[in-house]
Amino acid sequence: MRSPCAFPSVHRTSETDWGYSTEDQKMSSIVDPTKEVLNKGFPYARAKVIGGCSTVNGMIYIRGQKADYDFWATQGPEYKIWDYDHCLEAFKAVENNARKSPDEEFKKYHGFNGLLNVQDSSNDNYDILKDIYKIANNLGIPYNNDFNGVKQNGVGEYQHTMKDGKRFSLADGYLTDALKKVETYPPSKPFEIGSPHGLSDDAAKFVAVNVKSFAHMLNIIWDEEKKDENVAIGVKYFYDGRVHESFIAPKGEVIICGGAINSPQIFNKTMN
């Protein structure tokens, strides 16, 4: 999974992929609308590893269309935070773009201090790609050096979620350091030299994040006193042979991060 060129090998592998496929779809032919054509289903990789699909995907860093975000925001006042300007600020906060000598326009659309590393290809373009760019330009298709910038049409090269020639997943950016964060309880208890881990016998050690592999989400636990508001207060999940419940701390929140398919699947299952 670390090797960028080896990402296809982790698709359709039971240890790393849920094995989903799209369904066959019948639709009117574009060539002859009086006839139907069959679009056959195809494998649709969804990761079941730490880091999610950022650990098994093709590492292309591409955002959605500006018009889509702005359309979501028109659905009501509570959706305003989903307009493009709000989402762009979130994208920039997450991103650590490694492009060398970025121009001012590039800086408007990218972040440089986030935890997700993004870079241009580490290899020079193949000569055949350079020829394709020239041909496209001759056909009136503009060159685009930033598909996450002011426009997304054109021909050019994608940026990738990579660092130093290796895949850089969300786990690399966010989880690795969080797992290293160790605190003690009680926090004021001084370390004692010679004790295991440098801690005294009555001091507990814990990390900021608790990761449980092979845990399967079952459903969301809702606040019974706020049924009309759909307030989540915890989750129910299957782990180590039995069902567990986990509740949020005061002022905490439940965040479902099952991906584009599994997140709504969990929500719909719970609501129904």
Side-chain angles (χ1 to χ4, degrees), residues 52 54 68 86 103 109 135 139 173 198 201 205 217 220-221 253 265:
S54 70
D68 287 333
H86 282 92
D103 57 33
Y109 294 92
I135 294 170
L139 294 173
D201 294 337
K205 170 186 174 184
M217 174 78 171
I220 302 168
I221 302 173
E253 59 184 334
Q265 180 188 58

Side-chain angles (χ1 to χ4, degrees), residues 18-42:
W18 285 107
Y20 295 158
S21 294
T22 63
E23 295 184 349
D24 293 348
Q25 291 181 312
K26 289 183 178 180
M27 59 186 297
S28 298
S29 169
I30 296 175
V31 178
D32 184 356
T34 63
K35 296 182 179 179
E36 272 192 339
V37 294
L38 176 66
N39 285 337
K40 292 188 175 181
F42 58 87

Side-chain angles (χ1 to χ4, degrees), residues 139-184:
L139 294 173
I141 303 173
Y143 179 78
N144 191 340
N145 73 339
D146 182 16
F147 288 110
N148 294 308
V150 66
K151 58 183 179 180
Q152 290 188 304
N153 64 306
V155 61
E157 187 176 358
Y158 295 114
Q159 287 198 298
H160 300 85
T161 50
M162 293 170 52
K163 184 178 182 181
D164 300 328
K166 296 180 181 179
R167 174 190 298 278
F168 195 87
S169 70
L170 288 171
D172 295 318
Y174 285 83
L175 186 59
T176 303
D177 285 343
L179 290 172
K180 293 177 182 177
K181 183 180 178 182
V182 178
E183 300 182 13
T184 60

